[in-house]
Coordinates of all heavy atoms in Angstrom, one line a residue:
M1 N 14.4 -4.3 11.3 CA 13.4 -5.2 11.8 C 12.0 -4.6 11.5 O 11.7 -3.4 11.7 CB 13.5 -5.4 13.4 CG 12.4 -6.4 13.9 SD 12.7 -6.6 15.7 CE 11.1 -6.6 16.3
V2 N 11.2 -5.5 11.0 CA 9.8 -5.0 10.4 C 8.9 -4.9 11.8 O 8.9 -5.8 12.6 CB 9.2 -6.0 9.4 CG1 7.8 -5.4 9.0 CG2 10.1 -6.1 8.3
T3 N 8.2 -3.8 11.8 CA 7.3 -3.5 12.9 C 6.1 -4.7 12.8 O 5.5 -4.8 11.7 CB 6.6 -2.1 12.8 OG1 7.7 -1.1 12.9 CG2 5.6 -1.9 14.0
P4 N 6.0 -5.3 13.9 CA 4.9 -6.4 13.9 C 3.6 -5.9 13.5 O 3.1 -4.8 13.9 CB 4.8 -6.9 15.3 CG 6.1 -6.5 15.8 CD 6.6 -5.3 15.2
G5 N 2.8 -6.6 12.7 CA 1.6 -6.2 12.2 C 1.4 -5.2 11.0 O 0.3 -5.0 10.6
V6 N 2.6 -4.5 10.6 CA 2.5 -3.6 9.7 C 2.2 -4.0 8.3 O 1.3 -3.6 7.6 CB 3.7 -2.8 9.6 CG1 3.8 -1.8 8.4 CG2 3.8 -1.9 10.9
E7 N 2.7 -5.2 8.0 CA 2.4 -5.9 6.6 C 1.0 -6.2 6.5 O 0.3 -5.9 5.5 CB 3.3 -7.0 6.4 CG 3.0 -7.6 5.0 CD 3.8 -8.8 4.6 OE1 4.9 -9.1 5.3 OE2 3.5 -9.5 3.7
S8 N 0.5 -6.7 7.5 CA -1.0 -7.3 7.5 C -1.9 -6.0 7.3 O -3.0 -6.0 6.8 CB -1.3 -8.0 8.8 OG -2.6 -8.4 8.9
Y9 N -1.5 -5.0 8.2 CA -2.3 -3.7 8.2 C -2.3 -3.1 6.9 O -3.4 -2.6 6.4 CB -1.7 -2.7 9.2 CG -2.4 -1.4 9.4 CD1 -3.5 -1.2 10.3 CD2 -2.0 -0.3 8.5 CE1 -4.0 -0.2 10.4 CE2 -2.7 0.9 8.7 CZ -3.8 1.0 9.7 OH -4.4 2.2 9.7
I10 N -1.2 -3.0 6.2 CA -1.1 -2.4 4.8 C -1.9 -3.2 3.9 O -2.6 -2.7 3.1 CB 0.3 -2.3 4.4 CG1 1.1 -1.3 5.2 CG2 0.5 -1.9 2.9 CD1 2.7 -1.2 5.1
R11 N -1.8 -4.6 3.9 CA -2.6 -5.3 3.0 C -4.0 -5.1 3.2 O -4.8 -5.0 2.2 CB -2.2 -6.8 3.3 CG -0.8 -7.2 2.8 CD -0.5 -8.6 3.4 NE -1.2 -9.6 2.9 CZ -0.9 -10.5 1.9 NH1 0.4 -10.5 1.4 NH2 -1.8 -11.4 1.5
Q12 N -4.5 -5.1 4.5 CA -5.9 -4.9 4.7 C -6.3 -3.6 4.4 O -7.6 -3.4 3.7 CB -6.1 -5.1 6.3 CG -7.4 -4.8 6.7 CD -7.6 -4.5 8.2 OE1 -6.6 -4.5 8.8 NE2 -8.9 -4.4 8.7
K13 N -5.7 -2.6 4.7 CA -6.2 -1.2 4.3 C -6.2 -1.0 2.7 O -7.0 -0.5 2.2 CB -5.4 -0.2 4.9 CG -5.5 0.0 6.3 CD -6.8 0.5 6.7 CE -7.1 0.5 8.1 NZ -8.5 1.1 8.3
F14 N -5.1 -1.5 2.1 CA -5.1 -1.3 0.6 C -6.3 -2.1 0.0 O -6.9 -1.8 -0.9 CB -3.7 -1.7 0.0 CG -3.7 -1.5 -1.5 CD1 -3.8 -0.2 -2.0 CD2 -3.7 -2.6 -2.3 CE1 -3.9 0.0 -3.4 CE2 -3.6 -2.3 -3.6 CZ -3.8 -1.2 -4.3
A15 N -6.6 -3.3 0.5 CA -7.6 -4.1 -0.1 C -8.9 -3.4 0.0 O -9.8 -3.3 -0.7 CB -7.7 -5.5 0.6
E16 N -9.1 -2.9 1.3 CA -10.4 -2.2 1.6 C -10.5 -0.9 0.7 O -11.6 -0.7 0.2 CB -10.2 -1.6 3.1 CG -11.3 -0.9 3.6 CD -11.0 -0.3 5.0 OE1 -10.6 -1.0 5.8 OE2 -11.2 0.9 5.3
H17 N -9.4 -0.2 0.5 CA -9.5 0.9 -0.4 C -9.8 0.6 -1.9 O -10.3 1.4 -2.7 CB -8.4 2.0 -0.2 CG -8.4 2.5 1.2 ND1 -9.4 3.2 1.8 CD2 -7.5 2.5 2.1 CE1 -9.1 3.6 3.0 NE2 -7.8 3.1 3.2
A18 N -9.3 -0.6 -2.3 CA -9.3 -1.1 -3.6 C -10.7 -1.7 -3.8 O -11.1 -1.8 -5.0 CB -8.2 -2.1 -4.0
G19 N -11.5 -2.1 -2.8 CA -12.7 -2.7 -2.9 C -12.6 -4.2 -3.4 O -13.4 -4.8 -4.0
L20 N -11.4 -4.8 -3.0 CA -11.1 -6.2 -3.3 C -10.6 -6.9 -2.1 O -10.3 -6.3 -1.2 CB -10.0 -6.3 -4.4 CG -10.2 -5.6 -5.8 CD1 -8.8 -5.5 -6.6 CD2 -11.2 -6.4 -6.6
S21 N -10.6 -8.3 -2.2 CA -10.2 -9.1 -1.1 C -8.6 -9.1 -1.3 O -8.1 -8.9 -2.2 CB -10.7 -10.5 -1.2 OG -10.2 -11.2 -2.2
E22 N -8.0 -9.4 -0.1 CA -6.6 -9.5 0.0 C -6.1 -10.8 -1.0 O -5.1 -10.5 -1.7 CB -6.1 -10.0 1.4 CG -6.1 -8.7 2.2 CD -5.5 -8.9 3.7 OE1 -4.5 -9.6 3.7 OE2 -6.0 -8.5 4.6
D23 N -6.9 -11.8 -1.1 CA -6.6 -12.9 -2.0 C -6.5 -12.5 -3.4 O -5.8 -12.9 -4.2 CB -7.5 -14.0 -2.0 CG -7.5 -14.7 -0.6 OD1 -6.4 -14.7 0.0 OD2 -8.4 -15.6 -0.2
Q24 N -7.5 -11.5 -3.9 CA -7.5 -11.0 -5.3 C -6.3 -10.0 -5.6 O -6.0 -9.9 -6.6 CB -8.8 -10.3 -5.4 CG -10.0 -11.0 -5.5 CD -11.3 -10.2 -5.4 OE1 -11.5 -9.4 -4.6 NE2 -12.2 -10.3 -6.5
L25 N -5.7 -9.5 -4.5 CA -4.7 -8.6 -4.8 C -3.2 -9.2 -4.4 O -2.3 -8.9 -5.2 CB -4.7 -7.3 -3.6 CG -5.8 -6.4 -3.8 CD1 -5.9 -5.4 -2.6 CD2 -5.6 -5.6 -5.0
F26 N -3.1 -10.1 -3.5 CA -1.7 -10.4 -3.2 C -1.4 -11.9 -3.6 O -0.7 -12.6 -3.0 CB -1.6 -10.3 -1.6 CG -1.6 -8.8 -1.3 CD1 -2.7 -8.4 -0.7 CD2 -0.6 -8.0 -1.5 CE1 -2.9 -7.0 -0.5 CE2 -0.7 -6.6 -1.2 CZ -1.9 -6.1 -0.7
V27 N -1.9 -12.5 -4.6 CA -1.6 -13.7 -5.2 C -1.2 -13.6 -6.6 O -1.6 -12.7 -7.4 CB -2.9 -14.7 -5.2 CG1 -3.3 -15.0 -3.8 CG2 -4.0 -14.2 -5.9
D28 N -0.3 -14.5 -7.1 CA 0.0 -14.5 -8.4 C 0.8 -13.3 -9.0 O 0.6 -13.0 -10.2 CB -1.1 -14.9 -9.4 CG -1.8 -16.2 -8.9 OD1 -1.0 -17.1 -8.5 OD2 -3.0 -16.4 -9.1
D29 N 1.2 -12.5 -8.1 CA 2.0 -11.3 -8.6 C 1.2 -10.4 -9.5 O 1.5 -10.1 -10.6 CB 3.4 -11.6 -9.3 CG 4.5 -11.7 -8.1 OD1 4.3 -11.0 -7.1 OD2 5.6 -12.1 -8.5
V30 N 0.0 -10.1 -9.1 CA -0.9 -9.3 -9.7 C -0.3 -7.9 -10.0 O 0.3 -7.4 -9.1 CB -2.3 -9.1 -9.0 CG1 -3.2 -8.1 -9.5 CG2 -2.9 -10.4 -8.8
T31 N -0.5 -7.3 -11.3 CA 0.1 -6.0 -11.4 C -0.8 -4.9 -11.0 O -1.9 -5.2 -10.9 CB 0.5 -5.9 -12.9 OG1 -0.6 -5.9 -13.6 CG2 1.5 -7.0 -13.3
L32 N -0.2 -3.7 -11.0 CA -1.1 -2.6 -10.6 C -2.2 -2.4 -11.6 O -3.3 -2.0 -11.4 CB -0.2 -1.3 -10.5 CG 0.8 -1.4 -9.3 CD1 1.5 0.0 -9.3 CD2 0.0 -1.5 -7.9
A33 N -1.8 -2.7 -13.0 CA -2.7 -2.4 -14.1 C -3.9 -3.5 -13.8 O -5.1 -3.3 -14.0 CB -2.2 -2.8 -15.4
A34 N -3.7 -4.7 -13.4 CA -4.7 -5.7 -13.2 C -5.5 -5.3 -12.0 O -6.7 -5.6 -11.9 CB -4.0 -7.1 -12.9
V35 N -4.8 -4.6 -10.9 CA -5.7 -4.2 -9.9 C -6.8 -3.2 -10.3 O -7.9 -3.2 -9.9 CB -4.8 -3.6 -8.8 CG1 -5.6 -2.9 -7.7 CG2 -3.9 -4.6 -8.1
I36 N -6.3 -2.3 -11.2 CA -7.3 -1.3 -11.7 C -8.4 -1.9 -12.4 O -9.6 -1.7 -12.3 CB -6.6 -0.3 -12.6 CG1 -5.7 0.6 -11.7 CG2 -7.6 0.7 -13.4 CD1 -4.6 1.4 -12.6
G37 N -8.0 -3.0 -13.2 CA -9.1 -3.7 -14.0 C -10.0 -4.6 -13.1 O -11.2 -4.7 -13.5
R38 N -9.5 -5.1 -12.0 CA -10.4 -6.0 -11.0 C -11.2 -5.0 -10.1 O -12.2 -5.6 -9.8 CB -9.4 -6.9 -10.4 CG -8.8 -7.9 -11.2 CD -7.9 -8.9 -10.4 NE -7.3 -9.7 -11.1 CZ -6.5 -10.8 -10.6 NH1 -6.3 -10.9 -9.4 NH2 -5.9 -11.6 -11.4
S39 N -10.8 -4.0 -9.9 CA -11.3 -3.1 -8.8 C -12.6 -2.5 -9.2 O -12.7 -1.8 -10.2 CB -10.4 -2.2 -8.3 OG -11.1 -1.3 -7.3
P40 N -13.7 -2.7 -8.4 CA -15.0 -1.9 -8.7 C -14.9 -0.5 -8.4 O -15.7 0.2 -8.8 CB -16.0 -2.7 -7.8 CG -15.1 -3.2 -6.8 CD -13.8 -3.5 -7.2
R41 N -13.8 -0.1 -7.6 CA -13.6 1.3 -7.3 C -12.6 2.1 -8.1 O -12.5 3.3 -7.9 CB -13.3 1.4 -5.8 CG -14.3 0.8 -4.8 CD -13.9 0.9 -3.4 NE -14.8 0.4 -2.5 CZ -14.7 0.1 -1.3 NH1 -13.5 0.5 -0.8 NH2 -15.6 -0.4 -0.6
M42 N -11.9 1.4 -9.1 CA -10.9 2.1 -9.8 C -11.3 2.1 -11.2 O -11.6 1.0 -11.8 CB -9.7 1.5 -9.6 CG -9.1 1.4 -8.1 SD -7.5 0.7 -8.0 CE -7.3 0.7 -6.3
T43 N -11.0 3.2 -12.0 CA -11.1 3.3 -13.4 C -9.8 3.7 -14.0 O -9.8 3.6 -15.3 CB -12.3 4.2 -13.8 OG1 -11.9 5.5 -13.2 CG2 -13.6 3.7 -13.3
N44 N -8.9 4.2 -13.2 CA -7.7 4.7 -13.7 C -6.6 4.7 -12.7 O -6.8 4.4 -11.7 CB -7.8 6.0 -14.5 CG -8.3 7.1 -13.6 OD1 -8.0 7.1 -12.5 ND2 -9.3 7.9 -14.2
S45 N -5.4 5.2 -13.2 CA -4.3 5.2 -12.3 C -4.4 6.3 -11.1 O -3.8 6.2 -10.0 CB -2.9 5.4 -13.0 OG -3.0 6.7 -13.7
I46 N -5.3 7.4 -11.4 CA -5.5 8.2 -10.4 C -6.2 7.5 -9.1 O -6.0 7.8 -8.0 CB -6.5 9.3 -10.9 CG1 -5.7 10.0 -12.1 CG2 -6.7 10.4 -9.9 CD1 -5.0 11.4 -12.1
D47 N -7.1 6.8 -9.6 CA -7.9 6.0 -8.5 C -6.9 5.2 -7.7 O -7.1 5.0 -6.4 CB -9.0 5.1 -9.0 CG -10.1 5.9 -9.7 OD1 -10.3 7.1 -9.2 OD2 -10.7 5.5 -10.7
L48 N -6.1 4.5 -8.2 CA -5.0 3.8 -7.7 C -4.2 4.5 -6.8 O -3.9 4.0 -5.6 CB -4.1 3.0 -8.8 CG -3.0 2.1 -8.3 CD1 -3.6 0.8 -7.7 CD2 -2.1 1.7 -9.4
M49 N -3.7 5.7 -7.2 CA -2.9 6.6 -6.4 C -3.6 7.0 -5.2 O -3.1 7.1 -4.1 CB -2.3 7.7 -7.3 CG -1.4 7.3 -8.3 SD -0.6 8.8 -9.1 CE -1.9 10.0 -9.3
E50 N -4.9 7.2 -5.3 CA -5.8 7.6 -4.3 C -5.9 6.5 -3.2 O -5.9 6.8 -2.0 CB -7.2 8.0 -4.7 CG -8.0 8.8 -3.8 CD -9.2 9.4 -4.6 OE1 -9.1 10.4 -5.3 OE2 -10.3 8.7 -4.3
A51 N -6.0 5.3 -3.6 CA -6.0 4.2 -2.7 C -4.6 4.0 -1.9 O -4.6 3.7 -0.7 CB -6.3 2.8 -3.5
F52 N -3.5 4.3 -2.6 CA -2.3 4.2 -1.8 C -2.3 5.4 -0.9 O -1.7 5.2 0.3 CB -1.1 4.3 -2.9 CG -0.9 3.1 -3.6 CD1 -0.5 3.2 -5.0 CD2 -0.9 1.8 -3.1 CE1 -0.4 2.1 -5.8 CE2 -0.7 0.7 -3.8 CZ -0.3 0.8 -5.2
A53 N -2.8 6.5 -1.3 CA -2.6 7.8 -0.4 C -3.5 7.5 0.9 O -3.1 7.8 1.9 CB -3.2 9.0 -1.1
R54 N -4.6 6.8 0.7 CA -5.6 6.6 1.8 C -4.9 5.5 2.8 O -5.0 5.6 4.0 CB -6.9 6.0 1.3 CG -7.8 7.1 0.7 CD -9.1 6.6 0.3 NE -9.9 7.9 -0.3 CZ -10.9 7.6 -0.8 NH1 -11.4 6.4 -1.2 NH2 -11.7 8.7 -1.4
T55 N -4.2 4.7 2.1 CA -3.5 3.6 3.0 C -2.4 4.3 3.7 O -2.2 3.9 5.0 CB -2.8 2.5 2.1 OG1 -4.1 1.7 1.3 CG2 -2.1 1.5 2.9
A56 N -1.7 5.2 3.1 CA -0.7 6.0 3.7 C -1.1 7.0 4.8 O -0.5 6.9 5.9 CB 0.2 6.7 2.7
N57 N -2.3 7.3 4.5 CA -2.9 8.3 5.6 C -3.3 7.4 6.9 O -3.3 7.9 8.0 CB -4.1 9.0 5.0 CG -3.7 10.2 4.2 OD1 -2.5 10.8 4.3 ND2 -4.5 10.7 3.3
A58 N -3.8 6.3 6.6 CA -4.2 5.4 7.7 C -3.0 5.0 8.5 O -3.0 5.1 9.7 CB -4.9 4.1 7.1
L59 N -1.9 4.7 7.9 CA -0.6 4.5 8.5 C -0.2 5.6 9.4 O 0.2 5.5 10.7 CB 0.4 4.1 7.6 CG 0.6 2.8 7.0 CD1 1.6 2.6 5.9 CD2 0.9 1.8 8.2
R60 N -0.3 6.8 8.9 CA 0.1 8.0 9.7 C -0.9 8.2 10.9 O -0.4 8.5 11.9 CB 0.0 9.3 8.7 CG 0.4 10.6 9.4 CD 0.3 11.7 8.6 NE -1.1 12.0 7.9 CZ -2.1 12.4 8.5 NH1 -2.1 12.7 9.7 NH2 -3.2 12.4 7.8
K61 N -2.1 8.0 10.7 CA -3.0 8.1 11.8 C -2.9 7.1 12.8 O -2.8 7.3 14.0 CB -4.5 8.0 11.2 CG -5.5 8.2 12.2 CD -6.9 8.2 11.7 CE -8.1 8.0 12.7 NZ -9.2 7.5 12.1
D62 N -2.7 5.7 12.4 CA -2.7 4.7 13.4 C -1.2 4.3 14.0 O -1.1 3.9 15.2 CB -3.4 3.5 12.8 CG -4.8 3.6 12.7 OD1 -5.3 4.5 13.3 OD2 -5.3 2.8 11.9
Y63 N -0.2 4.7 13.1 CA 1.2 4.3 13.6 C 2.0 5.7 13.7 O 3.2 5.6 14.2 CB 1.8 3.5 12.6 CG 1.4 2.1 12.6 CD1 0.1 1.7 11.9 CD2 2.0 1.1 13.5 CE1 -0.2 0.3 12.0 CE2 1.5 -0.3 13.5 CZ 0.4 -0.6 12.8 OH 0.0 -1.9 12.8
G64 N 1.6 6.9 13.3 CA 2.3 8.1 13.5 C 3.5 8.1 12.4 O 4.4 9.0 12.7
V65 N 3.3 7.4 11.4 CA 4.6 7.5 10.5 C 4.1 7.9 9.1 O 3.0 7.2 8.6 CB 5.2 6.0 10.3 CG1 6.3 6.1 9.3 CG2 5.8 5.5 11.7
R66 N 4.7 8.8 8.4 CA 4.2 9.3 7.1 C 4.9 8.6 6.1 O 6.2 8.5 6.1 CB 4.6 10.8 7.1 CG 4.2 11.5 5.8 CD 4.4 12.9 5.8 NE 3.7 13.6 6.9 CZ 2.6 14.2 6.8 NH1 2.1 14.4 5.7 NH2 1.9 14.7 7.8
V67 N 4.3 7.9 5.3 CA 4.9 7.2 4.1 C 4.7 7.7 2.8 O 3.4 8.1 2.6 CB 4.4 5.7 4.2 CG1 4.9 5.0 3.1 CG2 4.7 5.1 5.5
R68 N 5.5 7.9 1.9 CA 5.3 8.5 0.6 C 6.0 7.4 -0.3 O 7.0 7.0 -0.2 CB 6.0 9.8 0.4 CG 5.3 10.8 1.2 CD 5.8 12.1 0.7 NE 5.1 13.1 1.4 CZ 5.6 14.4 1.7 NH1 6.8 14.8 1.3 NH2 4.8 15.3 2.4
L69 N 5.1 6.9 -1.3 CA 5.6 6.0 -2.3 C 6.2 6.7 -3.5 O 5.7 7.7 -3.8 CB 4.5 5.0 -2.7 CG 4.0 4.1 -1.6 CD1 2.8 3.3 -2.3 CD2 5.1 3.1 -1.1
P70 N 7.2 6.0 -4.0 CA 7.8 6.7 -5.4 C 6.7 6.3 -6.5 O 5.7 5.5 -6.3 CB 9.1 5.9 -5.5 CG 8.9 4.6 -4.9 CD 8.0 4.8 -3.6
A71 N 6.8 7.0 -7.6 CA 6.0 6.6 -8.8 C 6.5 5.2 -9.1 O 7.6 4.9 -9.3 CB 6.2 7.5 -9.9
L72 N 5.3 4.3 -9.5 CA 5.6 3.0 -10.0 C 4.9 2.7 -11.2 O 3.8 3.1 -11.3 CB 5.2 2.0 -8.8 CG 5.9 2.1 -7.5 CD1 5.1 1.5 -6.4 CD2 7.3 1.6 -7.7
P73 N 5.5 2.0 -12.1 CA 4.8 1.7 -13.5 C 3.7 0.7 -13.3 O 3.7 0.0 -12.1 CB 5.9 1.2 -14.3 CG 7.0 0.8 -13.5 CD 6.8 1.6 -12.2
L74 N 2.7 0.8 -14.1 CA 1.5 -0.1 -14.0 C 1.8 -1.6 -14.0 O 1.0 -2.4 -13.7 CB 0.4 0.3 -14.9 CG -0.3 1.7 -14.6 CD1 -1.3 2.0 -15.6 CD2 -0.9 1.5 -13.2
D75 N 3.1 -2.0 -14.5 CA 3.3 -3.3 -14.7 C 4.1 -3.8 -13.5 O 4.5 -5.0 -13.4 CB 4.1 -3.7 -15.9 CG 5.5 -3.0 -16.0 OD1 5.7 -2.0 -15.1 OD2 6.4 -3.3 -16.9
T76 N 4.2 -3.0 -12.5 CA 4.7 -3.4 -11.1 C 3.8 -4.4 -10.4 O 2.6 -4.1 -10.2 CB 4.9 -2.2 -10.2 OG1 5.7 -1.2 -11.0 CG2 5.6 -2.5 -8.9
P77 N 4.3 -5.5 -9.9 CA 3.5 -6.4 -9.2 C 3.2 -5.8 -7.7 O 3.8 -5.0 -7.1 CB 4.3 -7.7 -8.9 CG 5.5 -7.5 -9.8 CD 5.6 -6.0 -10.1
V78 N 1.9 -6.2 -7.2 CA 1.5 -5.6 -6.0 C 2.4 -6.0 -4.7 O 2.6 -5.3 -3.9 CB 0.1 -6.0 -5.7 CG1 -0.4 -5.6 -4.3 CG2 -0.8 -5.4 -6.7
S79 N 3.0 -7.2 -5.0 CA 4.0 -7.7 -3.9 C 5.2 -6.8 -3.9 O 5.7 -6.5 -2.8 CB 4.5 -9.1 -4.2 OG 5.0 -9.2 -5.3
T80 N 5.6 -6.3 -5.0 CA 6.6 -5.2 -4.9 C 6.3 -3.9 -4.3 O 7.0 -3.4 -3.5 CB 7.2 -4.9 -6.3 OG1 7.6 -6.1 -6.9 CG2 8.3 -4.0 -6.4
V81 N 5.0 -3.5 -4.5 CA 4.5 -2.3 -4.0 C 4.4 -2.5 -2.4 O 4.8 -1.7 -1.6 CB 3.1 -2.0 -4.5 CG1 2.6 -0.7 -3.8 CG2 3.3 -1.7 -6.0
L82 N 4.0 -3.6 -2.0 CA 3.9 -3.9 -0.6 C 5.2 -3.9 0.1 O 5.4 -3.3 1.2 CB 3.3 -5.3 -0.4 CG 3.1 -5.8 1.1 CD1 2.3 -4.8 1.8 CD2 2.6 -7.2 1.1
K83 N 6.3 -4.4 -0.6 CA 7.7 -4.4 0.0 C 8.1 -3.0 -0.1 O 8.7 -2.5 1.0 CB 8.5 -5.2 -1.1 CG 10.0 -5.2 -0.6 CD 10.8 -6.1 -1.5 CE 12.2 -6.0 -1.1 NZ 13.2 -6.3 -2.3
V84 N 7.9 -2.1 -1.0 CA 8.3 -0.7 -1.0 C 7.7 0.0 0.1 O 8.2 0.8 0.8 CB 8.0 0.0 -2.3 CG1 8.2 1.4 -2.3 CG2 8.9 -0.7 -3.4
F85 N 6.3 -0.3 0.3 CA 5.5 0.4 1.4 C 6.1 0.1 2.7 O 6.4 1.0 3.6 CB 3.9 -0.2 1.4 CG 3.0 0.8 1.3 CD1 2.0 0.8 0.2 CD2 2.9 1.9 2.3 CE1 1.0 1.6 0.2 CE2 1.8 2.9 2.2 CZ 1.0 2.7 1.1
I86 N 6.4 -1.2 2.9 CA 7.0 -1.6 4.3 C 8.5 -0.9 4.4 O 8.7 -0.5 5.5 CB 7.1 -3.1 4.4 CG1 5.7 -3.7 4.4 CG2 7.9 -3.6 5.6 CD1 5.5 -5.0 4.3
E87 N 9.3 -1.1 3.4 CA 10.7 -0.4 3.5 C 10.6 1.1 3.8 O 11.2 1.6 4.7 CB 11.3 -0.6 2.2 CG 11.8 -2.0 2.1 CD 12.4 -2.3 0.6 OE1 12.4 -1.5 -0.3 OE2 12.8 -3.4 0.4
E88 N 9.7 1.9 3.2 CA 9.5 3.2 3.4 C 8.9 3.4 4.7 O 9.3 4.4 5.6 CB 8.5 3.8 2.3 CG 8.4 5.2 2.4 CD 9.7 6.1 2.2 OE1 10.6 5.6 1.7 OE2 9.6 7.3 2.4
F89 N 8.0 2.6 5.3 CA 7.4 2.8 6.6 C 8.6 2.7 7.6 O 8.8 3.5 8.5 CB 6.5 1.7 6.9 CG 5.9 1.7 8.3 CD1 4.9 2.6 8.7 CD2 6.5 0.8 9.2 CE1 4.4 2.5 9.9 CE2 6.1 0.8 10.5 CZ 5.1 1.7 11.0
E90 N 9.6 1.6 7.4 CA 10.5 1.3 8.4 C 11.6 2.4 8.4 O 12.2 2.9 9.4 CB 11.2 0.0 8.1 CG 10.2 -1.2 8.5 CD 9.8 -1.3 9.9 OE1 10.5 -0.8 10.8 OE2 8.7 -1.8 10.1
R91 N 11.9 3.0 7.2 CA 12.8 4.1 7.0 C 12.3 5.4 7.7 O 13.0 6.1 8.5 CB 13.1 4.4 5.4 CG 14.1 5.4 5.3 CD 14.6 5.5 3.8 NE 13.5 6.3 3.0 CZ 13.4 7.5 3.1 NH1 14.1 8.3 3.8 NH2 12.5 8.0 2.3
Q92 N 11.1 5.8 7.5 CA 10.6 7.0 8.0 C 10.2 6.8 9.6 O 10.5 7.7 10.3 CB 9.2 7.2 7.4 CG 9.2 7.5 6.0 CD 10.0 8.9 5.8 OE1 10.0 9.8 6.6 NE2 10.5 9.1 4.6
K93 N 10.1 5.6 10.0 CA 10.0 5.4 11.4 C 11.3 5.5 12.1 O 11.5 6.2 13.1 CB 9.5 4.0 11.6 CG 9.3 3.5 13.1 CD 8.7 2.2 13.3 CE 9.2 1.5 14.5 NZ 8.8 0.2 14.7
K94 N 12.4 5.0 11.5 CA 13.7 5.2 12.0 C 14.2 6.6 12.0 O 14.7 7.2 13.0 CB 14.7 4.4 11.1 CG 16.1 4.3 11.7 CD 17.0 3.4 10.9 CE 16.6 2.0 10.9 NZ 17.5 1.1 10.3
E95 N 13.8 7.3 10.9 CA 14.2 8.8 10.9 C 13.5 9.6 11.9 O 14.1 10.5 12.5 CB 14.0 9.4 9.5 CG 14.9 9.0 8.4 CD 14.6 9.6 7.1 OE1 13.8 10.5 7.1 OE2 15.0 9.0 6.1
A96 N 12.2 9.2 12.2 CA 11.5 10.0 13.2 C 11.9 9.8 14.6 O 11.8 10.7 15.5 CB 10.0 9.5 13.1
A97 N 12.5 8.5 14.8 CA 13.1 8.2 16.1 C 14.4 8.8 16.4 O 14.8 9.0 17.5 CB 13.2 6.7 16.3
A98 N 15.1 9.1 15.3 CA 16.5 9.7 15.4 C 16.5 11.1 16.0 O 15.6 11.9 16.0 CB 17.2 9.6 14.1

């Protein structure tokens, strides 16, 4: 079961760190490469990884769950990244509770 509000939280935080609106990120299966191209704060994949790290740090701070994403190719849709983020959050939350 997905923790209520986590998906919205992740979407909001990643959009904030990318400098884009949620609509710009989470429609039409935008790829990570397109996010870099659209974002006023990103020039390369390092900036993208930094945005993910900041989102993960916010999750740790506000929910007490440490999330680590696997390496993902730049042709990965953001919707897939969101799914992986949520799955990893739930997995880590369950492990921490055990």
Side-chain angles (χ1 to χ4, degrees):
M1 182 175 143
V2 176
T3 302
V6 169
E7 179 177 347
S8 175
Y9 181 88
I10 293 169
R11 291 168 63 106
Q12 175 196 3
K13 287 298 180 182
F14 182 65
E16 178 183 314
H17 297 302
L20 297 167
S21 71
E22 287 185 43
D23 288 342
Q24 292 172 301
L25 288 172
F26 298 102
V27 295
D28 302 328
D29 271 343
V30 174
T31 65
L32 296 178
V35 170
I36 293 170
R38 292 178 182 184
S39 173
R41 296 184 182 164
M42 295 182 190
T43 55
N44 55 41
S45 60
I46 306 258
D47 296 328
L48 180 69
M49 291 186 325
E50 204 168 273
F52 287 139
R54 287 182 176 163
T55 301
N57 284 339
L59 276 172
R60 182 181 50 78
K61 179 182 173 193
D62 292 341
Y63 286 86
V65 178
R66 184 176 300 259
V67 175
R68 291 193 179 155
L69 291 179
L72 299 164
L74 291 177
D75 63 350
T76 303
V78 175
S79 59
T80 301
V81 177
L82 179 62
K83 182 180 173 200
V84 170
F85 234 124
I86 292 167
E87 288 171 353
E88 183 65 11
F89 174 87
E90 294 299 331
R91 188 176 72 77
Q92 292 298 331
K93 181 179 154 192
K94 188 181 288 185
E95 285 183 13

